[in-house]
Amino acid sequence: MLLFTHIAIALLSIIVAAVSVARPSMKLVKVVAGLTAATLTSGTALLFQGASVWHLCLSGLLFTSLTVAATVLALRRLKFAQAKQ
């Protein structure tokens, strides 16, 4: 059950991160940050339950890189949009 929840949160996080790049808003950036934290927390719990460290850490690194990159891009687009006004 935890694995399913972990994967669902991670997928939702990536979807929301993509949406935040397309239509940046601080609300979406905060949602992505919360979902990313929830994914990392559930991944840590999976490690304590005996999941493969190599697989989870590699997947976690890729996931975190994608969501952080999308969040940074969304924040830059927000800053640019505000400077235009």
Side-chain angles (χ1 to χ4, degrees):
M1 183 67 174
L2 179 59
L3 181 61
F4 174 76
T5 303
H6 175 71
I7 292 170
I9 294 170
L11 289 175
L12 182 60
S13 179
I14 291 172
I15 291 167
V16 175
V19 170
S20 74
V21 170
R23 300 187 62 110
S25 73
M26 282 307 294
K27 182 178 180 179
L28 283 176
V29 168
K30 290 177 182 178
V31 170
V32 171
L35 288 170
T36 301
T39 303
L40 294 174
T41 301
S42 62
T44 302
L46 284 170
L47 285 175
F48 285 119
Q49 288 185 354
S52 168
V53 173
W54 174 250
H55 177 258
L56 278 180
C57 289
L58 186 60
S59 300
L61 181 61
L62 178 62
F63 162 78
T64 305
S65 299
L66 287 173
T67 56
V68 167
T71 302
V72 167
L73 185 57
L75 287 170
R76 286 186 180 176
R77 290 191 67 204
L78 267 176
K79 185 178 179 181
F80 179 74
Q82 290 173 349
K84 262 180 109 174
Q85 293 178 356

